[in-house]
Coordinates of all heavy atoms in Angstrom, one line a residue:
M1 N -14.8 -12.6 0.7 CA -13.5 -12.2 1.2 C -13.5 -10.7 1.6 O -14.0 -9.9 0.8 CB -12.4 -12.5 0.1 CG -11.0 -12.3 0.7 SD -9.8 -12.7 -0.7 CE -8.3 -12.4 0.2
T2 N -13.0 -10.4 2.7 CA -13.0 -9.0 3.2 C -12.0 -8.2 2.3 O -10.9 -8.7 2.0 CB -12.5 -9.0 4.7 OG1 -13.1 -10.0 5.4 CG2 -12.7 -7.6 5.3
K3 N -12.5 -7.0 2.0 CA -11.6 -6.1 1.2 C -10.6 -5.5 2.1 O -10.9 -5.1 3.2 CB -12.5 -5.1 0.5 CG -13.4 -5.6 -0.6 CD -14.2 -4.5 -1.2 CE -15.0 -5.2 -2.4 NZ -15.8 -4.2 -3.0
K4 N -9.4 -5.5 1.6 CA -8.2 -5.0 2.4 C -7.3 -4.2 1.5 O -7.2 -4.4 0.3 CB -7.4 -6.2 3.0 CG -8.1 -6.9 4.1 CD -7.2 -8.0 4.6 CE -8.0 -9.0 5.4 NZ -7.2 -10.2 5.7
L5 N -6.5 -3.4 2.2 CA -5.4 -2.7 1.5 C -4.1 -3.3 2.1 O -3.9 -3.2 3.3 CB -5.5 -1.2 1.8 CG -4.7 -0.2 1.0 CD1 -4.9 -0.4 -0.5 CD2 -5.2 1.2 1.4
L6 N -3.3 -3.9 1.3 CA -2.1 -4.5 1.8 C -0.9 -3.6 1.5 O -0.8 -3.0 0.4 CB -1.8 -5.8 1.0 CG -2.8 -6.9 1.1 CD1 -2.3 -8.2 0.4 CD2 -3.1 -7.3 2.6
V7 N 0.0 -3.4 2.5 CA 1.2 -2.6 2.4 C 2.4 -3.5 2.7 O 2.4 -4.0 3.8 CB 1.1 -1.4 3.3 CG1 2.4 -0.5 3.1 CG2 -0.1 -0.5 3.0
C8 N 3.3 -3.6 1.8 CA 4.5 -4.4 2.1 C 5.4 -3.7 3.0 O 5.8 -2.5 2.8 CB 5.2 -4.8 0.8 SG 6.7 -5.7 1.2
S9 N 5.7 -4.3 4.2 CA 6.6 -3.6 5.1 C 7.9 -4.4 5.3 O 8.5 -4.3 6.4 CB 5.9 -3.3 6.4 OG 5.6 -4.6 7.0
N10 N 8.2 -5.2 4.4 CA 9.4 -6.0 4.5 C 10.7 -5.2 4.4 O 10.8 -4.3 3.6 CB 9.4 -7.1 3.4 CG 10.5 -8.1 3.5 OD1 10.9 -8.4 4.7 ND2 11.0 -8.7 2.4
L11 N 11.6 -5.5 5.3 CA 12.9 -4.7 5.4 C 14.0 -5.7 5.2 O 14.2 -6.7 6.0 CB 13.0 -4.0 6.7 CG 14.4 -3.3 6.9 CD1 14.5 -2.1 5.9 CD2 14.5 -2.7 8.3
R12 N 14.8 -5.4 4.2 CA 16.1 -6.2 4.1 C 17.2 -5.2 4.3 O 17.3 -4.1 3.7 CB 16.2 -6.8 2.7 CG 15.2 -7.8 2.4 CD 15.5 -8.5 1.1 NE 14.4 -9.5 0.8 CZ 13.4 -9.3 0.0 NH1 13.3 -8.2 -0.6 NH2 12.5 -10.2 -0.1
A13 N 18.1 -5.6 5.3 CA 19.1 -4.7 5.7 C 20.2 -4.5 4.6 O 20.8 -3.4 4.5 CB 19.8 -5.2 7.0
N14 N 20.4 -5.5 3.8 CA 21.4 -5.4 2.7 C 20.9 -4.5 1.6 O 19.9 -4.8 0.9 CB 21.7 -6.8 2.2 CG 22.8 -6.8 1.2 OD1 23.1 -5.8 0.6 ND2 23.3 -8.0 0.9
P15 N 21.6 -3.4 1.4 CA 21.1 -2.4 0.3 C 21.2 -3.0 -1.1 O 20.6 -2.5 -2.0 CB 22.1 -1.3 0.5 CG 23.3 -1.7 1.3 CD 22.8 -2.9 2.1
N16 N 21.9 -4.1 -1.2 CA 21.9 -4.8 -2.6 C 20.6 -5.6 -2.8 O 20.4 -6.0 -4.0 CB 23.1 -5.7 -2.7 CG 24.4 -4.9 -2.6 OD1 24.5 -3.8 -3.2 ND2 25.4 -5.4 -2.0
N17 N 19.9 -5.8 -1.8 CA 18.6 -6.5 -1.9 C 17.5 -5.6 -1.6 O 17.3 -5.2 -0.5 CB 18.5 -7.7 -0.9 CG 19.5 -8.8 -1.2 OD1 19.9 -9.0 -2.4 ND2 20.0 -9.5 -0.2
P18 N 16.8 -5.1 -2.7 CA 15.8 -4.1 -2.4 C 14.6 -4.6 -1.6 O 14.3 -5.8 -1.6 CB 15.3 -3.8 -3.9 CG 15.7 -4.9 -4.7 CD 16.9 -5.5 -4.0
S19 N 14.1 -3.7 -0.8 CA 12.9 -4.1 -0.1 C 12.0 -2.8 0.1 O 12.5 -1.7 0.1 CB 13.3 -4.6 1.3 OG 14.0 -3.7 2.1
C20 N 10.7 -3.1 0.3 CA 9.8 -1.9 0.4 C 10.1 -1.0 1.6 O 10.0 0.2 1.5 CB 8.4 -2.5 0.5 SG 7.9 -3.2 -1.1
A21 N 10.4 -1.6 2.8 CA 10.7 -0.8 3.9 C 11.9 0.1 3.8 O 12.0 1.2 4.2 CB 10.7 -1.6 5.2
A22 N 12.9 -0.5 3.1 CA 14.1 0.3 2.8 C 13.8 1.5 1.9 O 14.6 2.5 1.9 CB 15.2 -0.6 2.2
R23 N 12.7 1.5 1.2 CA 12.3 2.6 0.4 C 11.1 3.4 1.0 O 10.4 4.1 0.3 CB 11.8 2.0 -1.0 CG 12.9 1.3 -1.8 CD 12.3 0.5 -2.9 NE 13.3 -0.2 -3.6 CZ 13.5 -0.1 -4.9 NH1 12.8 0.8 -5.6 NH2 14.4 -0.7 -5.5
G24 N 10.9 3.2 2.3 CA 10.0 4.1 3.0 C 8.5 3.6 3.1 O 7.6 4.4 3.4
S25 N 8.3 2.3 3.0 CA 7.0 1.8 3.1 C 6.3 1.9 4.5 O 5.1 2.0 4.6 CB 6.9 0.3 2.6 OG 7.5 -0.5 3.5
K26 N 7.2 1.9 5.5 CA 6.6 2.0 6.9 C 6.0 3.4 7.1 O 4.9 3.6 7.7 CB 7.6 1.7 8.0 CG 8.1 0.3 7.9 CD 8.6 -0.3 9.2 CE 9.0 -1.7 8.9 NZ 9.0 -2.6 9.9
E27 N 6.7 4.4 6.5 CA 6.1 5.8 6.6 C 4.9 5.9 5.7 O 3.9 6.6 6.1 CB 7.2 6.8 6.1 CG 8.4 6.9 7.0 CD 9.4 5.8 6.9 OE1 9.3 4.9 6.0 OE2 10.3 5.7 7.8
I28 N 4.9 5.2 4.6 CA 3.7 5.2 3.7 C 2.5 4.6 4.4 O 1.4 5.1 4.4 CB 4.0 4.4 2.4 CG1 5.1 5.1 1.5 CG2 2.8 4.0 1.6 CD1 4.6 6.3 0.9
L29 N 2.8 3.5 5.1 CA 1.7 2.8 5.9 C 1.1 3.8 6.9 O -0.1 3.8 7.0 CB 2.3 1.6 6.6 CG 1.4 0.8 7.5 CD1 0.3 0.1 6.7 CD2 2.2 -0.2 8.3
I30 N 1.9 4.5 7.7 CA 1.4 5.4 8.7 C 0.6 6.5 8.0 O -0.5 6.8 8.4 CB 2.6 6.0 9.5 CG1 3.2 4.8 10.3 CG2 2.1 7.1 10.4 CD1 4.6 5.2 10.9
E31 N 1.2 7.1 7.0 CA 0.5 8.2 6.3 C -0.8 7.8 5.6 O -1.8 8.5 5.7 CB 1.5 8.9 5.3 CG 1.1 10.2 4.7 CD 0.7 11.3 5.7 OE1 1.1 11.2 6.9 OE2 -0.1 12.1 5.3
L32 N -0.8 6.7 5.0 CA -1.9 6.2 4.3 C -3.1 5.9 5.3 O -4.2 6.3 5.1 CB -1.6 4.9 3.5 CG -2.6 4.2 2.6 CD1 -3.1 5.2 1.6 CD2 -2.0 3.0 2.0
T33 N -2.7 5.2 6.4 CA -3.7 5.0 7.5 C -4.3 6.3 8.0 O -5.5 6.4 8.2 CB -3.1 4.2 8.6 OG1 -2.4 3.0 8.1 CG2 -4.1 3.7 9.7
R34 N -3.5 7.2 8.2 CA -3.9 8.5 8.7 C -4.9 9.2 7.7 O -6.0 9.7 8.1 CB -2.7 9.4 9.0 CG -2.9 10.6 9.9 CD -1.7 11.5 10.0 NE -1.4 12.1 8.7 CZ -2.0 13.2 8.2 NH1 -2.9 13.8 8.9 NH2 -1.6 13.7 7.0
Q35 N -4.5 9.2 6.5 CA -5.3 9.9 5.5 C -6.6 9.2 5.2 O -7.7 9.8 5.0 CB -4.6 10.0 4.2 CG -3.5 11.1 4.3 CD -2.9 11.5 2.9 OE1 -3.5 11.3 1.9 NE2 -1.6 11.9 2.9
L36 N -6.6 7.9 5.3 CA -7.9 7.1 5.1 C -8.8 7.4 6.3 O -10.0 7.6 6.0 CB -7.6 5.6 5.1 CG -6.9 5.0 3.8 CD1 -6.4 3.6 4.1 CD2 -7.9 5.0 2.7
Q37 N -8.3 7.5 7.5 CA -9.2 7.8 8.6 C -9.7 9.2 8.5 O -10.9 9.4 8.7 CB -8.3 7.7 9.9 CG -8.2 6.3 10.4 CD -7.2 6.1 11.6 OE1 -6.6 7.1 12.0 NE2 -7.1 4.9 12.1
K38 N -8.9 10.1 8.1 CA -9.3 11.5 8.0 C -10.4 11.7 7.0 O -11.3 12.5 7.1 CB -8.1 12.3 7.5 CG -8.2 13.8 7.8 CD -6.9 14.5 7.5 CE -7.1 15.9 6.9 NZ -5.9 16.4 6.3
K39 N -10.3 10.9 5.9 CA -11.3 10.9 4.8 C -12.5 9.9 5.1 O -13.3 9.7 4.1 CB -10.7 10.7 3.5 CG -9.6 11.7 3.2 CD -9.3 11.9 1.8 CE -8.7 13.3 1.5 NZ -7.4 13.4 1.2
N40 N -12.5 9.3 6.2 CA -13.6 8.3 6.6 C -13.7 7.2 5.5 O -14.8 6.8 5.2 CB -14.9 9.0 6.7 CG -15.0 9.9 7.9 OD1 -14.5 9.4 9.0 ND2 -15.5 11.1 7.8
V41 N -12.6 6.7 5.1 CA -12.6 5.6 4.1 C -12.3 4.4 5.0 O -11.2 4.2 5.5 CB -11.5 5.7 3.0 CG1 -11.6 4.6 2.1 CG2 -11.7 7.1 2.3
S42 N -13.3 3.5 5.1 CA -13.2 2.4 6.0 C -12.7 1.1 5.3 O -13.5 0.4 4.7 CB -14.5 2.2 6.7 OG -14.4 1.2 7.6
I43 N -11.4 0.8 5.4 CA -10.9 -0.4 4.9 C -9.8 -0.9 5.8 O -9.1 -0.1 6.4 CB -10.4 -0.2 3.4 CG1 -10.0 -1.6 2.8 CG2 -9.2 0.7 3.4 CD1 -9.9 -1.6 1.3
K44 N -9.7 -2.2 5.9 CA -8.6 -2.8 6.8 C -7.3 -2.6 6.1 O -7.2 -3.1 4.9 CB -8.9 -4.2 7.1 CG -8.1 -4.9 8.1 CD -8.6 -6.2 8.5 CE -7.7 -7.0 9.4 NZ -6.8 -6.4 10.3
V45 N -6.3 -2.0 6.7 CA -5.0 -1.9 6.2 C -4.1 -2.9 6.9 O -4.1 -3.0 8.1 CB -4.4 -0.5 6.4 CG1 -3.0 -0.3 5.8 CG2 -5.4 0.6 5.8
E46 N -3.5 -3.7 6.0 CA -2.7 -4.8 6.6 C -1.3 -4.8 6.1 O -1.0 -4.6 4.9 CB -3.4 -6.1 6.2 CG -3.2 -7.2 7.2 CD -4.2 -8.4 6.9 OE1 -3.8 -9.3 6.1 OE2 -5.3 -8.4 7.4
E47 N -0.3 -5.0 7.0 CA 1.1 -5.2 6.6 C 1.3 -6.5 6.1 O 0.8 -7.5 6.6 CB 2.0 -5.0 7.8 CG 2.1 -3.5 8.2 CD 3.1 -3.4 9.4 OE1 4.3 -3.7 9.2 OE2 2.7 -3.0 10.4
I48 N 2.1 -6.6 5.1 CA 2.4 -7.9 4.5 C 4.0 -8.0 4.3 O 4.6 -7.0 4.1 CB 1.6 -8.2 3.2 CG1 1.8 -9.6 2.7 CG2 1.9 -7.2 2.1 CD1 0.8 -10.0 1.7
Q49 N 4.5 -9.2 4.4 CA 5.9 -9.4 4.2 C 6.2 -9.9 2.8 O 6.2 -11.0 2.5 CB 6.5 -10.4 5.2 CG 6.4 -9.9 6.6 CD 7.2 -8.6 6.9 OE1 8.3 -8.5 6.5 NE2 6.6 -7.6 7.5
C50 N 6.4 -8.9 1.9 CA 6.8 -9.2 0.5 C 5.7 -9.7 -0.4 O 5.0 -10.7 -0.1 CB 8.0 -10.2 0.4 SG 8.8 -10.1 -1.1
M51 N 5.6 -9.1 -1.5 CA 4.6 -9.5 -2.6 C 5.3 -9.9 -3.8 O 4.7 -10.1 -4.9 CB 3.7 -8.3 -2.9 CG 2.9 -7.8 -1.7 SD 1.6 -6.6 -2.2 CE 1.9 -5.3 -1.1
G52 N 6.6 -10.0 -3.7 CA 7.4 -10.5 -4.9 C 7.7 -9.4 -5.9 O 8.2 -9.8 -7.0
F53 N 7.5 -8.2 -5.6 CA 7.8 -7.1 -6.6 C 8.8 -6.1 -5.9 O 8.6 -4.9 -6.0 CB 6.5 -6.4 -7.0 CG 5.6 -7.2 -7.9 CD1 4.8 -8.2 -7.4 CD2 5.7 -7.0 -9.3 CE1 4.0 -8.9 -8.2 CE2 4.9 -7.8 -10.1 CZ 4.0 -8.8 -9.5
C54 N 9.8 -6.6 -5.3 CA 10.7 -5.8 -4.4 C 11.4 -4.7 -5.1 O 11.7 -3.7 -4.6 CB 11.7 -6.8 -3.7 SG 11.0 -8.3 -3.3
K55 N 11.7 -4.9 -6.4 CA 12.4 -3.9 -7.2 C 11.6 -2.7 -7.5 O 12.2 -1.7 -7.9 CB 13.0 -4.5 -8.5 CG 14.1 -5.5 -8.2 CD 14.8 -5.9 -9.5 CE 15.9 -6.9 -9.2 NZ 16.3 -7.7 -10.3
V56 N 10.3 -2.8 -7.4 CA 9.5 -1.7 -7.7 C 8.6 -1.2 -6.5 O 7.6 -0.7 -6.6 CB 8.6 -1.9 -8.9 CG1 9.4 -2.0 -10.2 CG2 7.7 -3.2 -8.8
G57 N 9.2 -1.5 -5.3 CA 8.5 -1.1 -4.1 C 8.7 0.4 -3.8 O 9.4 1.1 -4.5
P58 N 8.0 0.9 -2.8 CA 7.0 0.3 -2.0 C 5.8 -0.1 -2.8 O 5.3 0.6 -3.6 CB 6.7 1.4 -1.0 CG 7.8 2.4 -1.0 CD 8.3 2.3 -2.4
N59 N 5.3 -1.3 -2.4 CA 4.1 -1.9 -3.0 C 2.9 -1.9 -2.1 O 3.0 -2.2 -1.0 CB 4.4 -3.3 -3.4 CG 5.5 -3.4 -4.5 OD1 5.3 -2.9 -5.6 ND2 6.6 -4.0 -4.2
V60 N 1.8 -1.5 -2.8 CA 0.5 -1.4 -2.1 C -0.5 -2.1 -3.0 O -0.5 -1.8 -4.2 CB 0.1 0.0 -1.8 CG1 -1.3 0.1 -1.2 CG2 1.1 0.7 -0.8
R61 N -1.4 -2.9 -2.4 CA -2.4 -3.6 -3.3 C -3.7 -3.7 -2.6 O -3.8 -4.0 -1.4 CB -1.8 -5.0 -3.5 CG -2.7 -5.8 -4.5 CD -2.0 -7.1 -4.8 NE -2.3 -7.5 -6.2 CZ -1.8 -8.5 -6.8 NH1 -0.8 -9.2 -6.2 NH2 -2.1 -8.8 -8.0
L62 N -4.7 -3.5 -3.4 CA -6.1 -3.7 -3.0 C -6.5 -5.2 -3.2 O -6.3 -5.7 -4.4 CB -7.1 -2.8 -3.7 CG -7.0 -1.3 -3.3 CD1 -7.7 -0.5 -4.4 CD2 -7.7 -1.1 -2.0
I63 N -7.0 -5.9 -2.2 CA -7.4 -7.3 -2.4 C -8.9 -7.4 -2.0 O -9.3 -6.7 -1.1 CB -6.5 -8.3 -1.7 CG1 -6.5 -8.0 -0.2 CG2 -5.1 -8.3 -2.3 CD1 -6.1 -9.2 0.6
P64 N -9.6 -8.4 -2.6 CA -9.2 -9.3 -3.7 C -9.3 -8.6 -5.0 O -10.3 -7.8 -5.3 CB -10.2 -10.4 -3.6 CG -11.4 -9.8 -2.9 CD -10.9 -8.7 -2.1
N65 N -8.4 -8.9 -5.9 CA -8.4 -8.5 -7.3 C -8.5 -7.0 -7.6 O -9.0 -6.6 -8.6 CB -9.6 -9.2 -8.0 CG -9.7 -10.6 -7.9 OD1 -8.6 -11.3 -8.0 ND2 -10.8 -11.2 -7.7
G66 N -7.9 -6.3 -6.7 CA -7.9 -4.8 -6.9 C -6.6 -4.3 -7.5 O -5.8 -5.1 -7.9
E67 N -6.5 -3.0 -7.6 CA -5.4 -2.4 -8.2 C -4.1 -2.6 -7.4 O -4.1 -2.8 -6.2 CB -5.7 -0.8 -8.3 CG -5.4 -0.3 -9.6 CD -5.8 1.2 -9.7 OE1 -6.9 1.5 -9.5 OE2 -4.9 2.0 -10.0
F68 N -3.0 -2.6 -8.2 CA -1.7 -2.9 -7.6 C -0.8 -1.6 -7.8 O -0.7 -1.2 -9.0 CB -1.0 -4.1 -8.3 CG 0.0 -4.8 -7.5 CD1 0.3 -6.1 -7.7 CD2 0.8 -4.1 -6.5 CE1 1.3 -6.8 -7.0 CE2 1.8 -4.8 -5.8 CZ 2.0 -6.1 -6.1
F69 N -0.3 -1.0 -6.8 CA 0.4 0.2 -6.9 C 1.9 -0.1 -6.6 O 2.2 -0.7 -5.6 CB -0.1 1.3 -5.9 CG -1.5 1.5 -6.1 CD1 -2.5 0.8 -5.3 CD2 -2.0 2.5 -7.0 CE1 -3.8 1.0 -5.5 CE2 -3.4 2.7 -7.1 CZ -4.3 2.0 -6.4
H70 N 2.8 0.4 -7.5 CA 4.2 0.3 -7.3 C 4.9 1.6 -7.1 O 4.3 2.7 -7.4 CB 4.8 -0.4 -8.5 CG 4.2 -1.7 -8.9 ND1 4.3 -2.8 -8.1 CD2 3.4 -2.0 -9.9 CE1 3.6 -3.8 -8.7 NE2 3.0 -3.3 -9.8
E71 N 6.1 1.6 -6.5 CA 6.9 2.8 -6.3 C 6.0 3.9 -5.6 O 6.0 5.0 -6.1 CB 7.5 3.3 -7.6 CG 8.5 2.3 -8.1 CD 9.2 2.6 -9.4 OE1 8.6 3.4 -10.2 OE2 10.2 2.1 -9.7
V72 N 5.3 3.5 -4.6 CA 4.4 4.4 -3.9 C 5.2 5.4 -3.1 O 6.1 5.1 -2.3 CB 3.4 3.6 -3.0 CG1 2.6 4.5 -2.2 CG2 2.6 2.7 -3.8
S73 N 4.8 6.6 -3.3 CA 5.4 7.7 -2.5 C 4.2 8.5 -2.0 O 3.0 8.2 -2.4 CB 6.2 8.6 -3.4 OG 5.4 9.2 -4.4
S74 N 4.4 9.5 -1.1 CA 3.3 10.3 -0.6 C 2.5 11.0 -1.7 O 1.3 11.2 -1.6 CB 3.8 11.3 0.5 OG 4.8 12.0 -0.1
K75 N 3.2 11.2 -2.8 CA 2.5 11.9 -3.9 C 1.4 11.0 -4.5 O 0.4 11.4 -5.1 CB 3.5 12.1 -5.1 CG 4.1 13.5 -5.0 CD 4.7 13.8 -6.3 CE 6.2 13.9 -6.1 NZ 7.0 13.8 -7.4
K76 N 1.5 9.7 -4.4 CA 0.6 8.7 -5.0 C -0.6 8.4 -4.0 O -1.6 7.8 -4.4 CB 1.3 7.4 -5.3 CG 2.1 7.5 -6.5 CD 2.5 6.2 -7.1 CE 3.4 6.3 -8.4 NZ 3.9 5.1 -8.8
L77 N -0.5 8.9 -2.8 CA -1.6 8.5 -1.8 C -3.0 9.0 -2.2 O -3.9 8.3 -2.1 CB -1.2 9.0 -0.4 CG 0.1 8.3 0.2 CD1 0.3 8.8 1.6 CD2 0.0 6.8 0.1
P78 N -3.1 10.2 -2.7 CA -4.5 10.6 -3.2 C -5.1 9.7 -4.2 O -6.3 9.4 -4.1 CB -4.3 12.0 -3.8 CG -3.0 12.5 -3.1 CD -2.1 11.3 -2.9
N79 N -4.3 9.2 -5.1 CA -4.7 8.2 -6.1 C -5.1 6.9 -5.5 O -6.1 6.3 -5.9 CB -3.6 7.9 -7.1 CG -3.6 8.9 -8.3 OD1 -4.6 9.8 -8.4 ND2 -2.6 8.9 -9.1
I80 N -4.4 6.5 -4.5 CA -4.7 5.2 -3.9 C -6.0 5.3 -3.1 O -6.8 4.4 -3.1 CB -3.5 4.8 -2.9 CG1 -2.3 4.5 -3.8 CG2 -3.9 3.6 -2.1 CD1 -1.0 4.2 -3.1
I81 N -6.1 6.5 -2.4 CA -7.4 6.7 -1.6 C -8.6 6.7 -2.6 O -9.6 6.1 -2.3 CB -7.2 7.9 -0.8 CG1 -6.2 7.7 0.3 CG2 -8.6 8.4 -0.2 CD1 -5.7 8.9 1.1
K82 N -8.4 7.4 -3.7 CA -9.5 7.4 -4.7 C -9.9 6.0 -5.2 O -11.0 5.7 -5.2 CB -9.0 8.3 -5.9 CG -10.1 9.0 -6.6 CD -9.5 10.1 -7.4 CE -10.1 10.2 -8.8 NZ -9.2 11.1 -9.6
A83 N -8.8 5.3 -5.5 CA -9.0 3.9 -6.0 C -9.7 3.0 -4.9 O -10.5 2.2 -5.2 CB -7.7 3.3 -6.4
T84 N -9.3 3.3 -3.7 CA -9.9 2.5 -2.6 C -11.4 2.8 -2.4 O -12.2 1.9 -2.2 CB -9.2 2.8 -1.2 OG1 -7.8 2.6 -1.4 CG2 -9.7 2.0 -0.1
K85 N -11.7 4.1 -2.5 CA -13.2 4.4 -2.4 C -14.0 3.7 -3.5 O -15.0 3.2 -3.3 CB -13.3 5.9 -2.6 CG -13.0 6.7 -1.4 CD -13.3 8.2 -1.6 CE -12.8 9.1 -0.6 NZ -12.9 10.5 -1.0
I86 N -13.5 3.7 -4.8 CA -14.1 3.1 -5.9 C -14.2 1.6 -5.6 O -15.3 0.9 -5.8 CB -13.4 3.4 -7.2 CG1 -13.5 4.9 -7.5 CG2 -14.0 2.6 -8.4 CD1 -12.6 5.4 -8.6
F87 N -13.1 1.0 -5.2 CA -13.0 -0.4 -4.9 C -14.0 -0.9 -3.9 O -14.7 -1.9 -4.0 CB -11.6 -0.7 -4.4 CG -11.3 -2.2 -4.1 CD1 -11.2 -3.1 -5.2 CD2 -11.1 -2.6 -2.9 CE1 -10.9 -4.4 -4.9 CE2 -10.8 -4.0 -2.6 CZ -10.7 -4.8 -3.6
L88 N -14.3 0.0 -2.9 CA -15.2 -0.4 -1.8 C -16.6 -0.4 -2.3 O -17.5 -1.0 -1.7 CB -15.0 0.6 -0.6 CG -13.8 0.4 0.2 CD1 -13.6 1.5 1.2 CD2 -13.8 -1.0 0.9
Q89 N -16.9 0.4 -3.4 CA -18.3 0.5 -3.9 C -18.6 -0.6 -4.9 O -19.7 -0.9 -5.2 CB -18.4 1.8 -4.6 CG -18.6 3.0 -3.6 CD -18.4 4.3 -4.3 OE1 -18.2 4.4 -5.5 NE2 -18.3 5.4 -3.5
E90 N -17.5 -1.3 -5.4 CA -17.7 -2.4 -6.4 C -18.4 -3.6 -5.8 O -18.2 -3.9 -4.7 CB -16.4 -2.8 -7.0 CG -15.8 -1.7 -8.0 CD -14.4 -2.0 -8.4 OE1 -13.7 -2.9 -7.8 OE2 -13.9 -1.3 -9.2
Ligands
FES101 S1 9.9 -6.4 -0.2 FE1 8.1 -5.5 -0.7 S2 7.4 -6.7 -2.4 FE2 9.2 -7.7 -1.7

């Protein structure tokens, strides 16, 4: 199975129903892609519609069987990039 980085970009307009995009996941997706390219980390980044952890979004996950990141903000991107590099070497 190809290794990928999944970013949930699901948007629910109703503020009573949490969603990753309402918490900034589209911006995270753009920034993460940009930083991965800049650091020459080659992994397919894919948007996904909901991983079932909407209350703790934005959610990002390395697949298959990789780390799962919750409440992702730009502050967490260096950690995600580091984990991605290690994941690609496994
Ligand atoms: S909306 Fe992102 S996990 Fe459900």
Side-chain angles (χ1 to χ4, degrees):
M1 190 177 178
T2 313
K3 290 182 176 177
K4 292 180 193 170
L5 193 52
L6 302 181
V7 179
C8 176
S9 64
N10 190 27
L11 176 66
R12 294 192 181 97
N14 182 345
N16 296 322
N17 293 329
S19 63
C20 292
R23 295 166 184 238
S25 70
K26 296 207 182 208
E27 293 76 11
I28 291 290
L29 175 68
I30 293 166
E31 188 56 21
L32 186 56
T33 306
R34 198 185 65 82
Q35 288 193 25
L36 286 166
Q37 279 171 354
K38 198 173 149 198
K39 300 202 155 108
N40 289 318
V41 182
S42 181
I43 188 162
K44 189 168 170 32
V45 181
E46 212 168 86
E47 283 184 62
I48 187 166
Q49 296 298 312
C50 200
M51 303 189 225
F53 289 82
C54 321
K55 286 186 181 163
V56 289
N59 292 300
V60 173
R61 184 174 213 170
L62 285 162
I63 60 158
N65 305 319
E67 227 174 303
F68 202 156
F69 304 92
H70 306 292
E71 296 179 336
V72 174
S73 64
S74 53
K75 267 195 251 164
K76 287 195 178 173
L77 296 186
N79 274 351
I80 295 174
I81 291 168
K82 206 161 139 193
T84 303
K85 282 186 188 167
I86 294 166
F87 183 68
L88 287 171
Q89 287 163 6
E90 284 169 353

